[in-house]
Amino acid sequence: MMRAMLEPGAGAPGFPAMRVLLPLLPIVLLAACGRQDGNQTEQPGVVSNIMDQALPATDEPAPPPNAITPVEPPPDIETPAPPPAPAGLIPANVQGRWAGIDARCGDRSDALELTIAPDQLIFHESVGKVQSASAGADGRIAVQAAFTGEGESWTRTLSLKPSADGARLTIVNDGTAVTRKRC
């Protein structure tokens, strides 16, 4: 096909290679438009290297008339700490999403994935409805929950021990300890 286009007589009479040159025409025209005379190398007002020239300072545009302005408390008023979880619920410091130490957060196929709500423990293949939760002196939380999963039901007491920085959670279940990371 390409050979036929380049052979004499291919294409329109008098224009043997028009089919080859026609696609290049826009590129040639754009290159010619870039310079008005042969001596000019830069266009005024165009920054060729953004690191060499700083952008001019601009003011923030005025918000639209229907914008919502957030209300913040005055800086001298402290916001109160969240109230402790009611008796029988899991404390806020261990609530959230957890995954295996070596797992990617958000990986639904991770067998160690766990979501802790105030009244539920949602594992990969089971859900535990919290019946009671009590904090121990050493920071451990004993959680008794009624579990369902894979067509079965059971009741179990788990021991939850958050790390000092809250980034890790160790759960002891029937004497086996598993540590997860916070997502």
Side-chain angles (χ1 to χ4, degrees), residues 2 12 14 27 32 34 46 53 55-56 60 69 73 92 109 113 120 129-130 134 144 149 155 163 173 177:
M2 185 60 101
I27 296 170
V46 175
Q53 296 182 0
L55 295 175
E60 297 253 345
T69 306
S109 65
E113 180 187 35
Q120 288 185 4
K129 178 104 171 115
V130 175
S134 58
Q144 183 176 9
T155 301
S163 63
N173 178 13

Side-chain angles (χ1 to χ4, degrees), residues 84-136:
L89 296 180
I90 297 176
N93 66 329
V94 294
Q95 293 177 25
R97 298 198 49 178
W98 302 87
I101 297 294
D102 297 327
R104 245 185 32 237
C105 286
D107 181 4
R108 296 281 181 189
S109 65
D110 177 25
L112 295 179
E113 180 187 35
L114 168 64
T115 300
I116 300 178
D119 60 345
Q120 288 185 4
L121 298 166
I122 306 166
F123 288 91
H124 180 68
E125 295 179 342
S126 64
V127 176
K129 178 104 171 115
V130 175
Q131 296 175 331
S132 67
S134 58

